Amino acid sequence: MRHEYILHKFFIIFNRTNLSCYRLLFILLLLISGNGIALRAQQNGRVYYSVIPQPRIVKPAPGDFNIKTQINICPDIRDSIFLDSIRYMPAFILSDYFENIRYPDTCPSDNYIVIRKAPVEDTDNSSAYHIKIRRKKILLEAPNEKGIFYGLQTLGQIIAGRRAINSYYIPAGDIIDWPEYEYRGMMLDVARHFFDENQIRYLIDYLARFKINKLHLHLTDDQGWRIEIKSYPELTRRGALIEVDSTPGGYFTQKQYSDLVAYARNRYIEIIPEIDMPGHTNAALASYAFLNCDNKRRELYSGTGVGFSSLCTSKDTVYGFVNRVIGELAAISPSPYIHIGGDESNATPHNEYIRFIDSVEKIVRSHGKTMIGWDEIARAHPDSGTVVQFWIHKNEAVKASQSGHPLIYSYAPYMYLDMKYNKRTPIGLHWAGYINLKKAYTKTLEPVDSLDINKFIGIEAPLWTETIRNMRDLIYMTFPRICAYAEAGWTPRKERNWRPFRIRLSLIQKLLPPGFYKDKSVPWRYPEKHKLLSD
Ligand code: ACM
């Protein structure tokens, strides 16, 4: 332990100084000391580069790369199709860090980044990348465009972190990285309060920086129906009119939705649509009388209660409705998933609920999609490929994992973005407790009861918007907690470490959207003080 501590201190000094003699000595030490120390150096590498999520492998090397205001990008000339497809990427990611990005025909002898299509050793993960930072050049290799995108995000964060400490040098080294989980998501409830496509684009740009790759949109609820369904125009003509507190609502036309999907896709984020049913359906029940058992349209609802509405699950016409809604959605959504909610259907008789979920699962499958549902759906008998999203019901989640369902970890007491940080947080709820940044970081993916964590395909942090009225509220509740969740989804557990995470976060705080919550556990005001790196 002491040995490790001394090595760590040494590493900090070495990182702080830019003195190549120290650096050289350190590298020599690594080389002659064999694997044991090299491994610890990787662990200390947590503070070597300011990257969130923490990369899987970081290996220091001698020397520094000098960051100038201009950079040359030299794509690998051997693959022109690949070159075309990634050409726009460095500009839109690295333009935040360089005043001038050039694409010279022949690569200069200094100050350049080479982007190359190549496999990453030891993995066939489709999100992998390898960055080699050397004195004169940076080499970014990945087997595909997605890996290049992630590598560029990593590079951007490294540069931002160096700028934060007024350094124009990046210590040389290798970063070999790929995610632990394929599913790394956030959910946004656009039903309680509507957020339009420009606001969601803004959010997407920030999520992409942290390698979040799924955005689940909760499109319908008691207060509003937010997606155009051409077969049922009243759903948006009436059902989208208001939101919580009766402020004006809104919805996405199918064209707007498709444009948003394309925008997200360019940032390697998949949008997953949710139509919540059979409960949470008052907006639909207020739009069409036939969806109600008594054939009477409901009033629009602007409160925040739950569990009072249900589609009339005993009517054949309701299944016809569901089929057409899912059909239209499947046609405009390239995601392999459709989320059908299924939560808090307290107004649906139990046997009816089971029959409904089983039938809807078949409908979703008939449109070529895999169903996702909140954990209550495990009470029914969905196909074993159906994904169960664990939010609160442990027994249902255990049952789902025992019957072979893939699961998503969204446990409310650890992961709900609408939970207040502490009792002084002016917005948000606290029925699942308070979630400060440390809890978000340290608890996510902790086993709950006998749940087998190996059955999880990833994580998702939901933001319910009963009290979230605008972008300011959204940013305040989402950032920086989403950075902690992003790291839980990407970084292997043994590489996750709360204390250096705080330092990395401080170093790259400029990459968070203005108005994020300044959780007290992070030294926001002193990122430039290297001393902090030794915490
Ligand atoms: C939920 O929070 N009702 C899934």
Side-chain angles (χ1 to χ4, degrees):
M1 198 57 214
R2 173 145 183 84
H3 181 171
E4 196 169 329
Y5 177 75
I6 292 168
L7 191 68
H8 178 68
K9 288 283 176 199
F10 182 76
F11 202 84
I12 302 309
I13 295 165
F14 141 89
N15 194 18
R16 195 186 306 168
T17 53
N18 285 329
L19 291 180
S20 43
C21 56
Y22 277 127
R23 190 85 48 82
L24 209 57
L25 197 65
F26 184 77
I27 304 295
L28 275 173
L29 196 72
L30 284 186
L31 289 176
I32 58 178
S33 307
N35 274 346
I37 289 183
L39 205 65
R40 282 192 284 271
Q42 281 176 36
Q43 288 165 1
N44 285 330
R46 286 196 177 99
V47 292
Y48 198 66
Y49 294 128
S50 54
V51 182
I52 293 175
Q54 166 64 25
R56 183 175 288 257
I57 299 169
V58 175
K59 293 183 193 165
D64 299 289
F65 179 86
N66 185 357
I67 319 165
K68 305 196 171 122
T69 54
Q70 173 195 301
I71 188 81
N72 299 292
I73 309 278
C74 307
D76 185 4
I77 46 168
R78 287 172 302 182
D79 187 338
S80 61
I81 296 173
F82 184 62
L83 186 154
D84 283 346
S85 64
I86 55 109
R87 191 180 274 282
Y88 77 97
M89 264 189 215
F92 100 71
I93 301 174
L94 294 182
S95 59
D96 289 348
Y97 313 102
F98 295 99
E99 279 168 25
N100 187 1
I101 300 176
R102 299 200 327 160
Y103 298 87
D105 290 338
T106 52
C107 222
S109 59
D110 198 356
N111 190 37
Y112 63 97
I113 301 175
V114 181
I115 298 179
R116 182 181 291 162
K117 186 174 189 174
V120 172
E121 61 193 87
D122 297 336
T123 181
D124 56 6
N125 189 293
S126 69
S127 301
Y129 66 91
H130 184 167
I131 302 175
K132 297 179 191 174
I133 299 168
R134 300 292 182 263
R135 285 198 181 92
K136 297 195 166 173
K137 66 173 180 189
I138 295 173
L139 179 62
L140 167 56
E141 290 180 333
N144 57 38
E145 291 83 347
K146 186 165 51 164
I148 298 294
F149 182 82
Y150 289 144
L152 287 169
Q153 295 289 6
T154 292
L155 205 49
Q157 292 190 0
I158 292 172
I159 296 167
R162 300 305 293 179
R163 292 263 165 93
I165 57 171
N166 296 318
S167 168
Y168 284 81
Y169 292 90
I170 309 176
D174 283 56
I175 297 166
I176 304 161
D177 198 16
W178 66 91
E180 190 71 351
Y181 290 102
E182 200 285 317
Y183 194 112
R184 308 178 302 279
M186 172 175 171
M187 187 214 81
L188 178 63
D189 168 9
V190 292
R192 271 54 174 271
H193 280 100
F194 183 61
F195 290 85
D196 70 21
E197 62 278 19
N198 288 331
Q199 293 171 314
I200 296 180
R201 283 195 176 100
Y202 181 85
L203 173 66
I204 283 172
D205 282 350
Y206 284 99
L207 296 180
R209 288 190 167 165
F210 301 101
K211 305 187 178 87
I212 293 286
N213 70 343
K214 314 278 180 203
L215 179 60
H216 161 189
L217 291 180
H218 181 77
L219 290 167
T220 67
D221 213 301
D222 292 318
Q223 297 82 350
W225 185 285
R226 309 295 181 204
I227 178 77
E228 175 190 28
I229 301 293
K230 293 189 196 256
S231 322
Y232 298 103
E234 287 301 311
L235 287 172
T236 43
R237 204 178 286 151
R238 183 172 156 81
L241 280 177
I242 60 165
E243 51 182 19
V244 166
D245 292 339
S246 293
T247 37
Y251 66 95
F252 304 114
T253 64
Q254 294 197 357
K255 166 86 171 65
Q256 286 167 335
Y257 185 85
S258 297
D259 289 350
L260 191 58
V261 165
Y263 185 87
R265 235 184 171 185
N266 275 334
R267 286 142 184 84
Y268 296 92
I269 293 180
E270 172 187 321
I271 294 194
I272 298 172
E274 176 185 349
I275 303 291
D276 202 350
M277 50 194 163
H280 289 280
T281 40
N282 188 76
L285 302 174
S287 305
Y288 286 98
F290 78 92
L291 298 175
N292 298 279
C293 288
D294 60 6
N295 284 320
K296 292 200 178 100
R297 270 191 349 182
R298 296 293 178 262
E299 293 301 315
L300 293 173
Y301 179 70
S302 63
T304 57
V306 297
F308 61 88
S309 59
S310 180
L311 295 173
C312 187
T313 49
S314 55
K315 277 186 172 177
D316 288 347
T317 46
V318 165
Y319 293 89
F321 168 83
V322 172
N323 186 36
R324 289 175 88 162
V325 169
I326 298 290
E328 285 197 32
L329 201 55
I332 58 167
S333 173
S335 167
Y337 299 116
I338 285 190
H339 200 305
I340 61 89
D343 56 322
E344 298 175 310
S345 297
N346 307 342
T348 319
H350 177 73
N351 289 344
E352 286 289 314
Y353 176 81
I354 305 296
R355 189 168 81 97
F356 181 83
I357 296 297
D358 289 348
S359 306
V360 171
E361 193 275 321
K362 289 191 183 69
I363 292 172
V364 171
R365 202 149 24 105
S366 76
H367 291 286
K369 303 290 185 185
T370 298
M371 185 168 101
I372 308 181
W374 297 105
D375 53 31
E376 290 97 321
I377 66 160
R379 295 172 191 157
H381 320 92
D383 181 80
S384 66
T386 294
V387 179
V388 173
Q389 185 162 9
F390 169 49
W391 68 282
I392 200 70
H393 299 98
K394 298 168 196 167
N395 291 344
E396 280 76 353
V398 168
K399 180 175 171 216
S401 78
Q402 284 167 352
S403 35
H405 293 283
L407 287 111
I408 298 167
Y409 193 104
S410 298
Y411 189 45
Y414 305 158
M415 291 201 73
Y416 267 28
L417 288 166
D418 55 318
M419 291 303 113
K420 292 172 183 281
Y421 291 93
N422 56 49
K423 60 179 185 305
R424 289 176 306 283
T425 308
I427 49 175
L429 307 173
H430 59 94
W431 62 263
Y434 299 107
I435 307 180
N436 61 21
L437 184 63
K438 183 173 185 184
K439 192 195 261 188
Y441 190 87
T442 55
K443 289 293 197 178
T444 299
L445 283 169
E446 280 291 297
V448 177
D449 286 2
S450 58
L451 252 182
D452 181 358
I453 288 300
N454 294 320
K455 295 285 168 51
F456 285 80
I457 56 171
I459 55 98
E460 184 178 288
L463 180 61
W464 302 98
T465 58
E466 287 94 333
T467 67
I468 312 301
R469 296 184 176 83
N470 49 41
M471 278 313 271
R472 199 186 50 209
D473 295 351
L474 183 154
I475 297 300
Y476 186 78
M477 297 305 271
T478 304
F479 295 88
R481 285 187 291 199
I482 198 69
C483 303
Y485 299 131
E487 186 148 313
W490 181 283
T491 308
R493 176 170 289 273
K494 67 179 179 11
E495 298 297 330
R496 284 201 270 136
N497 193 331
W498 161 243
R499 293 176 70 77
F501 169 78
R502 296 155 50 243
I503 310 303
R504 283 182 277 121
L505 188 56
S506 172
L507 286 165
I508 59 164
Q509 60 183 281
K510 287 222 166 95
L511 302 185
L512 302 180
F516 66 87
Y517 172 68
K518 298 244 165 129
D519 193 287
K520 293 249 178 326
S521 60
V522 177
W524 302 108
R525 289 175 56 208
Y526 306 109
E528 76 282 6
K529 289 206 175 159
H530 270 197
K531 194 154 65 69
L532 291 171
L533 294 176
S534 61
D535 271 21

